[in-house]
Amino acid sequence: MAFIENHYSMHKRNYPCILLLLLVLISTHITAQETEFIPAAKAIDHIVAVVNEDVITRQELDEAIKMAIERLQLQGIQLPDQHTLESQVLESIVSKRIQLQHAQEVGLSVSESEIDETVHRIAEQNNLSLQEFFSVLEKDGISFNKFREEIRDEMILARLKEREIKQQVNVTEGEVDNLLRTQETSAVGNDEYRLAHILVLVSEDMNSNQIQQRSQRADMALAKLKEGVEFAQVAAEFSDAADATKGGIIEWRPIAQMGPAFAEMLSSLQPGELTPIVQSPSGFHIFKLLGRRVQEVQTVVIDQTHARHILIKINELTSVNDAKLKIEQLKKRLDHGENFEEIARLYSEDTSASSGGDLGWLSPGDTVPDFERTMNALLPGQISEPVQSQFGWHIIQVLEHRSQDISLDRHRQTARQEIRDRKADVVIQEWLRQLRDQAYIELRLDDDHEH
């Protein structure tokens, strides 16, 4: 139905990522000890990588290294050696550049108003007015335009990945049924786990010698962990995962989301323990269990409303005033006792017209705010005055209110999301590998060091 609100918003879903970006951007300045990791400024801004027809400069790399150092320092993670840090940060820039180029090719973009909304939300989350937020950025020497560009990039990347997930990931009701049955009968259960991980990637085009070298790299990482080196430090040095310089942390997620093989292995660990090296099609994994908690099944009861409506749309042919005049005329006919259902069938411009304007049972958030506020104020049988929303002018009639236990629906929803997230992890990893394989990439770090 046209007036039902679309709740899904990519930048809202990825809001924690944007907040982390803010945290890094306005974090404390790096210390003198840390600056030794950043090469001295050069008279000429050398090219350190070529990505298709684009280039990455030494200045860009240095700025990204500075941010990575600040992030590691905020998390209390010991810095890897300069070469490792440079290589990992450059690889992350290359990956981001490839994705942004692909987004441009497929026509993905973010509007200025969407960026404005996100900036407002970030300011609110930090308990700052917009002006105070600008002052914080200015005080820390951060260009507001640069900040907006970072926000734009993060939103585009999130939408690009979601686009790929929508195209490739499908969850059937049978899969949901199977997961729920497994959770009921499995000894693993459905507890939530917080993990740290290291991933040493392999690709399909690697020969046996290259795969053996990757295996040895994973062995070296595990050996360091067993020697007592901090996991975050080893992840920063050895992991190929996108979160390598962020400690390799996988925040709380249901164990079932990890897949049967990983779930069984992780369920036997105690907090602080490591897994052996585990091989999967994507590479070699090492996990550390940071915490485990019981995922409680909660009873969820919500208030629902059975309603119907008549909609006169506002568009190129019908102005706001014309739509309002039409809806007022229909309201007069209803006031004189004409049948709501018949009027809706004849005049409503919503897809619900064929069913007499019947919208079925509506839950909180199913409709746009103006519609919902008016609907919630009505008693059963009562008809509203004309109310305007972004879609046009409505007349609403409430048929019935009820409290509904949606625990089972919510449980299935959660299971569906767990399956989707698990599949999405695999899809995105493979998609990123394919994007990189298809791109022309020339790394010039070694040449740059000779200057």
Side-chain angles (χ1 to χ4, degrees):
M1 286 168 283
F3 79 102
I4 298 293
E5 184 177 25
N6 178 8
H7 292 280
Y8 185 80
S9 173
M10 180 57 58
H11 65 278
K12 290 179 185 175
R13 281 191 61 187
N14 290 273
Y15 196 54
C17 299
I18 296 173
L19 284 178
L20 176 59
L21 172 67
L22 172 68
L23 179 65
V24 172
L25 285 172
I26 64 174
S27 60
T28 54
H29 298 295
I30 52 178
T31 64
Q33 181 183 1
E34 293 160 352
T35 56
E36 67 186 36
F37 285 88
I38 302 178
K42 297 179 173 63
I44 300 175
D45 193 8
H46 297 292
I47 294 172
V48 293
V50 179
V51 183
N52 293 320
E53 297 179 357
D54 203 355
V55 298
I56 298 169
T57 65
R58 181 78 239 181
Q59 181 180 349
E60 288 178 84
L61 178 59
D62 288 349
E63 288 176 356
I65 289 172
K66 176 181 176 180
M67 287 179 62
I69 290 173
E70 289 179 348
R71 182 169 56 240
L72 291 168
Q73 198 69 18
L74 281 169
Q75 295 177 300
I77 300 172
Q78 185 174 337
L79 300 177
D81 63 82
Q82 180 179 333
H83 176 73
T84 299
L85 185 60
E86 276 193 342
S87 298
Q88 292 217 349
V89 172
L90 180 58
E91 182 58 40
S92 70
I93 300 174
V94 168
S95 178
K96 180 177 178 181
R97 192 65 57 86
I98 293 170
Q99 292 174 68
L100 290 173
Q101 290 172 353
H102 184 63
Q104 189 172 16
E105 289 171 6
V106 300
L108 271 181
S109 62
V110 175
S111 69
E112 294 300 316
S113 62
E114 289 174 307
I115 299 174
D116 289 340
E117 181 184 349
T118 303
V119 171
H120 274 282
R121 289 181 180 275
I122 293 174
E124 288 174 2
Q125 285 287 325
N126 286 272
N127 298 316
L128 298 172
S129 68
L130 205 55
Q131 190 56 50
E132 289 170 335
F133 181 63
F134 294 159
S135 298
V136 170
L137 292 177
E138 184 179 356
K139 181 180 177 182
D140 284 273
I142 300 166
S143 158
F144 184 62
N145 288 336
K146 173 68 173 174
F147 181 76
R148 286 179 63 88
E149 285 306 308
E150 291 289 347
I151 295 296
R152 184 193 305 276
D153 288 350
E154 290 299 321
M155 292 170 68
I156 288 174
L157 293 179
R159 290 183 180 181
L160 185 64
K161 288 175 182 175
E162 185 62 23
R163 177 180 181 270
E164 200 65 26
I165 291 168
K166 282 184 176 179
Q167 290 176 351
Q168 297 195 47
V169 174
N170 179 49
V171 180
T172 66
E173 292 303 312
E175 288 175 310
V176 175
D177 292 337
N178 289 336
L179 177 57
L180 292 175
R181 279 196 296 269
T182 300
Q183 290 174 352
E184 289 174 1
T185 60
S186 171
V188 171
N190 196 37
D191 290 352
E192 291 184 324
Y193 284 54
R194 186 171 185 266
L195 304 163
H197 79 129
I198 290 169
L199 169 63
V200 179
L201 281 173
V202 297
S203 59
E204 293 177 355
D205 57 353
M206 286 184 177
N207 58 39
S208 57
N209 286 337
Q210 289 172 317
I211 293 174
Q212 181 60 30
Q213 289 174 358
R214 304 301 285 169
S215 176
Q216 290 171 355
R217 181 174 175 83
D219 289 336
M220 291 169 60
L222 184 59
K224 284 205 168 190
L225 292 171
K226 289 182 175 179
E227 290 170 5
V229 180
E230 285 292 325
F231 196 100
Q233 183 182 343
V234 178
E237 183 175 353
F238 289 92
S239 182
D240 296 315
D243 55 14
T245 58
K246 303 172 189 174
I249 303 297
I250 300 175
E251 289 298 348
W252 293 103
R253 64 172 60 183
I255 188 62
Q257 192 177 312
M258 300 297 294
F262 285 150
E264 185 175 349
M265 175 185 60
L266 292 168
S267 65
S268 63
L269 293 182
Q270 296 300 315
E273 290 185 340
L274 298 167
T275 66
I277 295 170
V278 185
Q279 188 172 3
S280 78
S282 58
F284 300 94
H285 307 258
I286 304 170
F287 292 94
K288 179 180 181 179
L289 178 60
L290 302 179
R292 180 193 287 116
R293 67 187 182 191
V294 176
Q295 186 183 40
E296 297 180 1
V297 179
Q298 297 180 336
T299 301
V300 182
V301 179
I302 61 171
D303 293 327
Q304 292 183 317
T305 302
H306 185 193
R308 57 189 179 190
H309 81 139
I310 298 165
L311 170 65
I312 301 299
K313 290 182 177 179
I314 299 168
N315 51 39
E316 296 82 4
L317 301 177
T318 306
S319 68
V320 174
N321 289 335
D322 287 344
K324 184 180 180 183
L325 181 61
K326 287 182 182 180
I327 206 77
E328 286 174 343
Q329 290 171 346
L330 294 177
K331 178 62 167 62
K332 286 180 182 179
R333 292 174 63 174
L334 292 171
D335 290 343
H336 285 89
E338 291 196 41
N339 185 275
F340 192 104
E341 186 176 343
E342 288 303 316
I343 294 289
R345 287 183 192 276
L346 290 171
Y347 300 103
S348 182
E349 297 174 358
D350 186 60
T351 54
S352 63
S354 60
S355 59
D358 196 331
L359 301 171
W361 286 101
L362 300 171
S363 300
D366 279 350
T367 63
V368 292
D370 292 328
F371 188 102
E372 184 170 295
R373 276 193 296 269
T374 302
M375 178 182 70
N376 289 342
L378 298 175
L379 297 173
Q382 193 173 2
I383 297 175
S384 74
E385 294 297 321
V387 57
Q388 186 179 8
S389 79
Q390 66 202 68
F391 301 105
W393 283 91
H394 309 258
I395 301 171
I396 307 164
Q397 183 181 36
V398 166
L399 302 177
E400 191 179 353
H401 293 297
R402 73 179 182 188
S403 293
Q404 181 72 6
D405 184 349
I406 61 166
S407 303
L408 181 58
D409 290 341
R410 190 64 57 86
H411 196 33
R412 290 187 67 83
Q413 223 173 49
T414 301
R416 184 177 290 106
Q417 188 63 45
E418 289 171 12
I419 297 169
R420 185 181 189 272
D421 288 346
R422 186 172 71 224
K423 289 184 174 183
D425 286 344
V426 176
V427 163
I428 291 302
Q429 209 168 76
E430 176 61 19
W431 170 71
L432 288 173
R433 186 191 65 78
Q434 289 177 1
L435 272 185
R436 199 187 192 290
D437 289 346
Q438 293 163 6
Y440 171 76
I441 299 170
E442 182 184 339
L443 302 180
R444 300 182 180 178
L445 264 184
D446 293 337
D447 294 344
D448 179 67
H449 289 149
E450 293 173 5
H451 288 282

